[in-house]
Amino acid sequence: MNPYTTYFERHREQHLAELKEWLSIPSISALSEHKEDVRRAAEWLKDALTAAGLEHVTLNETDGHPILTADHLHAEGAPTLLIYGHYDVQPVDPLNLWETPPFEPSERDGKLYARGATDDKGQVFLHVKALEAILKQEGRLPVNVKLCIEGEEEISSPNLVQFLDDNAQDLAADAVLISDTSLLERGKPAISTGLRGLCSIEVSLNTANTDLHSGSFGGGVPNALHAIVSLLNSLHDEQTGRVLVDGFYDGVLPLTEEMRGELSKMDYDEEKLKADLGLDTLFGEEGYSFLERTGVRPTLELNGVYGGFQGEGTKTVIPKEAHAKITCRLVANQDPHDVLAKIERHLREHTPAGAKLTLVPGETAFAFNIDPSHPFLQKAADAYETVYGVRALFTKDGGSIPIIEAFSRVLNAPVVLMGFGLPDENLHAPNEHFNLENFDKGLLTLVQYLKTV
């Protein structure tokens, strides 16, 4: 038997008790009333890393919440891994939907329930205990490690990029290791080789200087709602699903047969998806599967459209203004600032007569992409196979984690996304949880990776 299996079995209850203690700290970075709780969570982790045997454990102050760094650099000639994660968590609303209090961790049905259980305290904790286990069992690590754990990921990491720029030499590594993603499903590990970028914009249209009575003015003056519907409808081809913004697809690489083959291995059931969502049909860019549309193709989506009377009953007015919120998910080689400029130009060129347009650009983030043949990723897939009995598939994820692209770019290092969550663990939602099967296997997988990378 693997000696680490015995070790983790012997210490399992102790480890879970420690994790529950950390999860009980409401480190909600978005809410100012929890500022001290966020610091308490950082200090708890600092103590845990020190006890695990890590060195130079430091809380680095920022304009927001502290960034924790540590290292253990005694493996001469071996590669250096930088482990990243975050100790802050999402707000818990709506509280009434939690079956047990979000900061009173509880176990049921082989799952640990608490805010932060899977995103990301539970997964960061796996790294702490994997490192501790090797140091206690063998007295030394097979690789050099550095850690950079922040407390602002849930509020878009406003201070981390500057910290990376200022400390690039100290944080330099051969690869960045992150556990903040998930398996495809139970027993089917995955390594993401791509995350989409992001840009957003808010649109406002104004017509008259006041709402008008539809009986007196209807049919004779511009209607802001009609105008915005027409404007937004110009963004897509209704038949093919393609975005009609000129130059939107510039730089988008064609989908290779190799990537299509890798995605097909996921054996995704689109009929089940439709049934689960109560849909008669799926929708999207013509010529692509659901996984291709949501993982490797760019999109433009309306997230909110509003204006006019929205109360109960009828109010016969012609609204003077209407609004929309738009976000785009972008892929490698798309510059979010360039895409925003093209969208702005399209909207201005297609603004209906009689309407005045106001645009407010929002957040931007570049896509992350990595070649799955990279040795650090292949070794990660091997480690999963050793523990799970199934080699990890290489996937493209539709979401955006902007800081991952920043790590790759600033440190010029490959990023290895070894997640141990599951897609249905309610991260960001009530009843967030972590399947303890992956808690156990995650520890063994990380040890295997550290010992063989």
Side-chain angles (χ1 to χ4, degrees):
M1 177 182 287
N2 184 336
Y4 284 94
T5 301
T6 303
Y7 174 89
F8 287 126
E9 287 177 351
R10 189 167 67 247
H11 292 86
R12 190 175 193 267
E13 293 308 312
Q14 173 197 337
H15 289 167
L16 285 175
E18 292 175 12
L19 176 56
K20 290 175 183 178
E21 183 179 286
W22 196 25
L23 290 170
S24 70
I25 303 173
S27 51
I28 305 171
S29 55
L31 302 178
S32 58
E33 61 262 36
H34 287 285
K35 182 177 181 179
E36 290 307 312
D37 294 318
V38 178
R39 176 167 288 276
R40 279 202 300 130
E43 291 172 345
W44 188 98
L45 181 58
K46 179 183 178 183
D47 291 342
L49 289 170
T50 302
L54 276 296
E55 300 171 344
H56 307 114
V57 185
T58 306
L59 284 184
N60 302 274
E61 300 300 332
T62 72
D63 290 338
H65 302 299
I67 296 171
L68 190 146
T69 55
D71 61 43
H72 198 280
L73 306 172
H74 301 290
E76 187 174 350
T80 298
L81 300 180
L82 175 66
I83 298 170
Y84 164 78
H86 65 93
Y87 61 85
D88 63 321
V89 301
Q90 280 279 321
V92 299
D93 310 87
L95 186 59
N96 65 297
L97 295 183
W98 286 81
E99 294 182 23
T100 52
F103 296 109
E104 295 179 17
S106 61
E107 291 180 54
R108 56 184 185 273
D109 302 322
K111 303 170 184 177
L112 177 60
Y113 286 80
R115 174 59 89 224
T118 190
D119 181 25
D120 184 37
K121 285 181 178 176
Q123 299 201 56
V124 169
F125 188 80
L126 295 180
H127 288 275
V128 177
K129 291 306 170 183
L131 294 170
E132 180 182 77
I134 297 174
L135 287 170
K136 287 186 179 298
Q137 292 278 92
E138 303 182 31
R140 59 184 297 275
L141 295 177
V143 293
N144 300 294
V145 297
K146 300 177 181 179
L147 291 91
C148 179
I149 314 295
E150 67 160 322
E152 298 181 327
E153 194 273 346
E154 301 294 5
I155 52 174
S156 300
S157 306
N159 292 291
L160 185 55
V161 174
Q162 187 63 54
F163 184 82
L164 291 179
D165 287 335
D166 293 343
N167 298 275
Q169 186 172 347
D170 291 337
L171 296 172
D174 296 296
V176 181
L177 178 59
I178 301 174
S179 295
D180 196 11
T181 51
S182 67
L183 284 69
L184 287 175
E185 59 185 63
R186 182 180 178 186
K188 293 181 68 173
I191 298 171
S192 176
T193 62
L195 294 161
R196 290 192 291 187
L198 178 72
C199 66
S200 66
I201 190 167
E202 294 192 23
V203 182
S204 296
L205 281 183
N206 291 79
T207 49
N209 58 11
T210 184
D211 287 353
L212 298 169
H213 189 286
S214 66
S216 302
F217 294 91
V221 297
N223 181 314
L225 283 177
H226 291 181
I228 204 164
V229 169
S230 173
L231 178 61
L232 298 177
N233 195 49
S234 74
L235 291 167
H236 289 90
D237 184 309
E238 292 184 10
Q239 300 302 316
T240 67
R242 283 180 63 84
V243 177
L244 293 178
V245 173
D246 188 34
F248 181 81
Y249 294 98
D250 289 353
V252 176
L253 299 175
L255 185 57
T256 65
E257 289 305 314
E258 289 79 7
M259 179 50 64
R260 278 204 147 132
E262 195 69 21
L263 292 173
S264 69
K265 291 178 185 177
M266 296 169 63
D267 196 25
Y268 196 81
D269 190 341
E270 294 190 1
E271 292 302 316
K272 182 178 184 301
L273 174 66
K274 287 192 292 186
D276 290 344
L277 297 180
L279 294 172
D280 295 325
T281 185
L282 299 178
F283 175 80
E285 190 180 0
E286 190 174 76
Y288 297 93
S289 69
F290 175 81
L291 287 182
E292 292 165 354
R293 292 169 181 165
T294 59
V296 297
R297 296 295 294 171
T299 65
L300 187 155
E301 295 288 343
L302 306 181
N303 306 121
V305 180
Y306 51 100
F309 178 67
Q310 299 175 53
E312 184 178 357
T314 300
K315 184 179 182 183
T316 54
V317 297
I318 298 173
K320 67 170 186 173
E321 62 185 80
H323 310 271
K325 294 178 183 288
I326 297 172
T327 57
C328 297
R329 299 289 180 170
L330 308 176
V331 297
N333 296 340
Q334 281 186 296
D335 182 330
H337 306 96
D338 176 63
V339 172
L340 273 181
K342 290 171 177 173
I343 293 171
E344 288 189 25
R345 183 167 61 247
H346 176 98
L347 292 172
R348 294 191 189 283
E349 291 175 351
H350 290 78
T351 300
K356 296 176 284 293
L357 179 68
T358 301
L359 301 174
V360 181
E363 59 191 320
T364 58
F366 284 85
F368 162 74
N369 197 52
I370 188 171
D371 185 345
S373 67
H374 196 289
F376 279 105
L377 275 71
Q378 290 295 318
K379 292 285 182 67
D382 293 341
Y384 276 117
E385 184 173 18
T386 298
V387 176
Y388 282 82
V390 177
R391 200 163 194 272
L393 290 176
F394 294 103
T395 65
K396 299 287 188 182
D397 290 348
S400 306
I401 308 178
I403 199 61
I404 291 179
E405 184 276 336
F407 270 109
S408 176
R409 172 173 43 83
V410 174
L411 301 183
N412 192 29
V415 178
V416 184
L417 294 169
M418 293 185 71
F420 298 97
L422 285 175
D424 62 355
E425 288 181 333
N426 289 9
L427 65 165
H428 292 205
N431 301 309
E432 179 181 347
H433 58 276
F434 191 18
N435 280 260
L436 294 180
E437 174 186 16
N438 291 321
F439 176 87
D440 298 328
K441 289 184 176 180
L443 289 165
L444 293 171
T445 303
L446 289 174
V447 168
Q448 178 69 19
Y449 186 60
L450 292 169
K451 291 175 68 67
T452 57
V453 68

